[in-house]
Amino acid sequence: MLNGKVAIVTGGTRGIGFSIVKKFLENGAKVALLGSRKETVDQALQKLKQINNQYEVIGFCPVLHSENEVKECCSKVANTFGKIDILVNNAGISSRTRLEDYTEDEYDKIANLNIKSAFICSKVASSYLKDTKGVILNTSSMVSIYGQPSGVMYPVSKFAINGLTKSLARELAPFSVRVNAIAPGITETDMVKQLPKEVIEPLITTIPLGRIGTTDDVANAFLFLASDMATYITGEILQVDGGARS
Ligand code: NAD
């Protein structure tokens, strides 16, 4: 579905991002995965090469909210693979801190990674994406629909991601660049796998499809929206949450 396409995936070293990278490679794309540390980037690259050593995949660890570092990274990707067709803004951290316990540092950390990085990466990549009539995909969350009872900056950042998605969809539509977001429900990443049964089971009862999503469930939605199957879809926030709505 992505033969000949070139993709950048932030937060591609593990969890949902790693599944997106794998899915894109399986479907013929060349991929640059970005992570926070060289060590984890190298581990992810090694894992992918073990699956298939023909995969065309490279990795970098720029500071994602630094315009200069992201510029340098995008130009390395374009020099290596010739162009950029797809940007996935997936890197993100969550929070459970109570309002009165928030520090300015924690506010800045979440805002910088979850919001500013997606803004900077979209800004820098847009000139490449205009050339290829490309695609921006953002990882939102179910909390962007109805909030959560603590860690307020996490849902705030995901509401911002939805705003970025809807507004850039309008701004970039004249250049045939599509911008969409996927809003996953609770997804079985390493962190979720470690939660005890007593925490997981009550959560499952709130999901109509009766199970937690897999990273593959979520990556399939990214694949669809990145592909030419979705050429008339832009400004969409696609919920991938087993029907959970409250
Ligand atoms: P994860 O913690 O497993 O992976 C996070 C990724 O982000 C890693 O690749 C990591 O290298 C990268 N990252 C973290 N800090 C970084 C930094 N400072 N600079 C650059 N990269 C950094 O997380 P995940 O659960 O796979 O989450 C991925 C995205 O999905 C996030 O945006 C998250 O908000 C969203 N999400 C996750 C769930 C879930 O249940 N897991 C649900 C809804 C939305």
Side-chain angles (χ1 to χ4, degrees):
M1 284 170 79
L2 299 181
N3 252 348
K5 304 278 188 193
V6 175
I8 296 180
V9 180
T10 74
T13 58
R14 59 171 195 260
I16 291 171
F18 185 78
S19 282
I20 296 168
V21 169
K22 200 160 141 282
K23 188 76 60 183
F24 282 12
L25 289 166
E26 284 164 7
N27 279 273
K30 299 172 186 175
V31 180
L33 69 82
L34 312 191
S36 53
R37 288 183 297 130
K38 187 175 181 312
E39 191 192 342
T40 51
V41 167
D42 287 346
Q43 278 166 5
L45 291 175
Q46 205 182 355
K47 216 164 144 188
L48 290 161
K49 291 283 185 187
Q50 273 166 7
I51 296 169
N52 184 340
N53 69 5
Q54 302 297 309
Y55 282 157
E56 293 193 68
V57 58
I58 54 178
F60 303 102
C61 44
V63 172
L64 292 173
H65 61 274
S66 155
E67 187 163 347
N68 284 339
E69 292 203 21
V70 172
K71 268 187 183 159
E72 197 186 320
C73 174
C74 283
S75 94
K76 282 184 193 158
V77 176
N79 286 339
T80 309
F81 291 143
K83 58 176 181 162
I84 301 169
D85 299 283
I86 302 160
L87 167 68
V88 178
N89 289 311
N90 168 75
I93 40 171
S94 66
S95 165
R96 293 269 166 202
T97 306
R98 290 184 320 163
L99 179 61
E100 54 271 39
D101 296 331
Y102 257 99
T103 59
E104 283 188 49
D105 277 353
E106 187 173 359
Y107 175 101
D108 289 341
K109 203 173 156 199
I110 297 177
N112 277 340
L113 184 64
N114 293 17
I115 307 173
K116 190 173 176 189
S117 297
F119 165 76
I120 292 288
C121 292
S122 301
K123 181 184 171 195
V124 173
S126 64
S127 61
Y128 297 93
L129 297 173
K130 285 175 184 173
D131 288 343
T132 54
K133 296 187 181 4
V135 183
I136 297 175
L137 297 175
N138 297 318
T139 308
S140 181
S141 165
M142 64 180 181
V143 304
S144 77
I145 316 294
Y146 40 75
Q148 68 179 24
S150 61
V152 65
M153 275 313 294
Y154 182 61
V156 165
S157 71
K158 295 302 184 180
F159 275 80
I161 284 297
N162 292 2
L164 187 79
T165 302
K166 289 189 176 288
S167 297
L168 287 185
R170 289 180 181 275
E171 184 169 340
L172 299 178
F175 306 95
S176 300
V177 173
R178 297 185 296 108
V179 187
N180 290 298
I182 284 85
I186 181 159
T187 308
E188 199 180 27
T189 52
D190 293 346
M191 196 182 70
V192 173
K193 276 183 203 157
Q194 283 161 20
L195 293 174
K197 260 187 170 184
E198 313 83 84
V199 175
I200 288 292
E201 276 169 6
L203 285 173
I204 293 177
T205 62
T206 67
I207 304 169
L209 284 180
R211 66 174 178 86
I212 283 173
T214 64
T215 57
D216 240 22
D217 290 324
V218 178
N220 280 331
F222 277 89
L223 173 63
F224 165 66
L225 286 173
S227 79
D228 289 345
M229 300 286 282
T231 44
Y232 201 52
I233 302 175
T234 196
E236 181 63 29
I237 314 294
L238 177 60
Q239 288 177 246
V240 181
D241 57 7
R245 291 295 185 272
S246 63

